[in-house]
Amino acid sequence: MINLPYRVALLMHLDSSIRLFDRAKKLMPGGVSSPVRAISPYPFYTARAEGPYLWDADDNRLIDYCLAYGPMILGHRHPAIVQAVAEQMKRGWLYGTPSELEVAAAERISRLYPSMEMLRFVSSGTEATQAALRVARGATGRDKVIKIEGGFHGAHDSVLVKAGSGATTLSIPDSRGVPADTAKNTLQLPYNDLPALETVLKAFPGQIAGLIIEPVLGNIGPVLPEEGYLEGVRQLTRENDVLLIFDEVITGFRLALGGAQEHFGIKPDLTTLGKIIGGGFPVGIFGGRRDLLEQVAPSGAIYQAGTFNGSPVPLASGMATLDVMEKENVLEKLNATGKQMRKGLQEIVDDLRLGYSVVGIASMFKIFFGEEPHNYVQALKCDKAGYLAFFRRMLDAGVFLTPSQYETDFISAAHSPEVIQTTLEAFSSCLKN
Ligand SMILES: *Cc1c(COP(=O)(O)O)cnc(C)c1O
């Protein structure tokens, strides 16, 4: 398993992590609990975290731009969350009954996301998108849905699909174990391509329940919407009686407190949230138009249930996160550090004339080893292997970027301008090599 050239190239001491990975591999598929964590030749094992930093099992300190793939918007161990969780623990942590906390949280989310006239709490983004697609199908009585190529909506059957050979062909499973009969009901379209959407809507009249989209593609990017694209998607779905589902698991509470729908001024029919809203604990939310959500059990016939739905500790953590974000104007500061990072990186890339591109929005950024992509096919043209080698040099320099060309890097409120500056110096020396 261990790939020698990279092992030799690594300067970090990883003895403890290597030993842990050897034990893990015997019991856990690929040695990890989720595939993205399987950094080759072995992942570092985190022992503790604080502010913008992680410390691994060998006590290497890393500046964290992965931030658990998005949730940790305040950085690690924010004191307000430590306190909110400790307070909630005193009152118990799972009741199996309704509680005031979930009512207050629902009111608050619906205020921030007026398109979510009603909503339900679940435990992950995967559960949220699975339920939202079921609501779309249940409410319309149609089986087909549309997703965008390169969009990620969690790890359930309807969205683990790869495209067929053209826009109007049916998808095929992208994982063993996904029934072909399920995959064929998901159509896939390139991002930023309204004519392709029109073609599919014409080809399947009255058969499509909904279109699910990350307003900014966060799982191959960030890849940004071109001028007028999201507006066009909204218009075409409305005209063709197809429900529009914004998957804001990444963009929610990051582009604005009210998500991409506030930032771009677009009102979807259904929305999914996750990641940030648990403040690092597991929470997902699906919601939307009242006439649709009223069809969810027990008030309607679309079934969804969960032992941990509306769980108090994760909700207390999420609400404390919102408190801090509102009181301290966190997004304004984050947008400024995001800009500092992208501007600094752009200067480095320009100086070195590497033909790389720096892309991002708000507190999301990525250096693409290639031209800025506007859809999935273009993103695939980037130099993935080159990026991975660079990723390892950055680790050696004490910076943990997301371990793939196709995962977004995030900035937290704990990343001061000085931390960003230190990071830019690491970028500069690692890109030079
Ligand atoms: C991470 C993610 C999901 C899945 O959320 P989990 O909490 O990992 O299940 C869904 N949609 C988007 C856009 C995501 O980034």
Side-chain angles (χ1 to χ4, degrees):
M1 281 289 280
I2 287 180
N3 172 329
L4 272 175
Y6 287 131
R7 187 175 181 186
V8 172
L10 270 177
L11 304 173
M12 272 168 83
H13 288 292
L14 286 168
D15 304 350
S16 302
S17 286
I18 292 168
R19 278 200 297 275
L20 286 167
F21 189 51
D22 284 341
R23 282 164 59 194
K25 275 188 300 195
K26 295 187 187 117
L27 291 162
M28 299 151 76
V32 291
S33 294
S34 194
V36 72
R37 299 179 200 165
I39 300 171
S40 157
Y42 36 75
F44 68 84
Y45 280 68
T46 301
R48 66 199 162 91
E50 179 93 44
Y53 303 115
L54 297 177
W55 283 264
D56 75 2
D58 293 285
D59 218 29
N60 297 297
R61 192 188 77 175
L62 299 157
I63 307 176
D64 184 11
Y65 291 97
C66 179
L67 293 164
Y69 299 91
M72 308 306 294
I73 196 160
L74 298 181
H76 295 285
R77 286 196 78 246
H78 192 285
I81 296 184
V82 174
Q83 193 191 338
V85 167
E87 290 294 321
Q88 181 56 48
M89 293 290 279
K90 288 184 202 153
R91 295 189 292 273
W93 47 88
L94 191 62
Y95 307 141
T97 73
S99 72
E100 183 176 346
L101 181 56
E102 69 186 350
V103 182
E107 287 167 348
R108 192 167 184 182
I109 300 298
S110 182
R111 259 199 312 277
L112 290 171
Y113 293 77
S115 74
M116 299 174 92
E117 294 167 339
M118 295 183 84
L119 56 90
R120 173 165 289 172
F121 295 105
V122 291
S123 297
S124 69
T126 294
E127 286 177 74
T129 63
Q130 188 174 34
L133 288 170
R134 185 176 296 158
V135 170
R137 286 167 159 157
T140 58
R142 303 170 186 164
D143 285 343
K144 290 199 194 322
V145 295
I146 300 174
K147 80 174 273 292
I148 302 300
E149 283 170 10
F152 178 72
H153 307 290
H156 57 90
D157 288 2
S158 289
V159 290
L160 280 184
V161 297
K162 57 182 169 217
S165 50
T168 56
T169 59
L170 308 174
S171 298
I172 51 177
D174 197 21
S175 160
R176 295 285 288 271
V178 171
D181 264 356
T182 303
K184 75 170 194 215
N185 283 314
T186 304
L187 296 151
Q188 291 207 84
L189 290 176
Y191 189 65
N192 278 324
D193 191 341
L194 291 173
L197 175 56
E198 280 192 276
T199 304
V200 159
L201 292 171
K202 274 210 196 88
F204 298 94
Q207 296 173 56
I208 299 169
L211 180 156
I212 187 165
I213 182 170
E214 292 178 77
V216 170
L217 293 187
N219 289 280
I220 53 161
V223 174
L224 304 176
E226 288 169 347
E227 192 73 38
Y229 174 64
L230 293 173
E231 290 79 359
V233 170
R234 175 64 281 188
Q235 192 187 335
L236 285 170
T237 48
R238 187 177 285 126
E239 285 171 3
N240 288 274
D241 192 24
V242 167
L243 296 171
L244 176 59
I245 307 167
F246 265 14
D247 181 357
E248 298 228 41
V249 169
I250 284 185
T251 50
F253 311 99
R254 192 172 288 274
L255 265 54
L257 284 175
Q261 51 198 274
E262 177 186 324
H263 181 86
F264 295 112
I266 288 169
K267 191 172 178 183
D269 302 300
L270 292 163
T271 296
T272 56
L273 297 167
K275 296 200 166 115
I276 288 172
I277 195 50
F281 287 80
V283 178
I285 303 175
F286 68 96
R289 272 166 37 192
R290 183 173 303 279
D291 62 305
L292 300 174
L293 269 288
E294 273 174 345
Q295 298 182 51
V296 174
S299 58
I302 300 170
Y303 200 68
Q304 197 288 326
T307 301
F308 297 103
N309 286 4
S311 199
V313 168
L315 282 188
S317 163
M319 291 308 106
T321 303
L322 285 187
D323 288 343
V324 174
M325 290 181 72
E326 284 178 347
K327 257 186 241 138
E328 298 179 13
N329 244 327
V330 162
L331 286 182
E332 212 169 286
K333 287 180 216 159
L334 273 176
N335 292 349
T337 33
K339 215 172 264 173
Q340 180 195 356
M341 176 66 92
R342 288 190 297 271
K343 184 167 171 285
L345 253 179
Q346 187 67 56
E347 283 166 12
I348 294 166
V349 165
D350 288 347
D351 276 354
L352 296 174
R353 298 168 194 277
L354 291 166
Y356 298 165
S357 52
V358 178
V359 181
I361 182 170
S363 48
M364 300 160 69
F365 71 97
K366 193 74 188 178
I367 175 165
F368 281 104
F369 279 31
E371 277 175 34
E372 174 175 356
H374 302 287
N375 60 37
Y376 178 62
V377 170
Q378 290 175 8
L380 288 184
K381 291 188 183 134
C382 293
D383 176 9
K384 278 186 291 188
Y387 181 87
L388 270 186
F390 163 74
F391 159 82
R392 291 190 184 89
R393 287 199 292 277
M394 288 294 280
L395 263 191
D396 272 346
V399 177
F400 177 39
L401 299 174
T402 46
S404 156
Q405 173 70 96
Y406 303 119
E407 296 282 350
T408 294
D409 295 306
F410 297 101
I411 298 171
S412 86
H415 289 67
S416 64
E418 294 73 35
V419 169
I420 303 285
Q421 194 50 44
T422 306
T423 307
L424 286 170
E425 283 155 24
F427 265 116
S428 177
S429 72
C430 292
L431 281 168
K432 262 180 209 140
N433 295 324

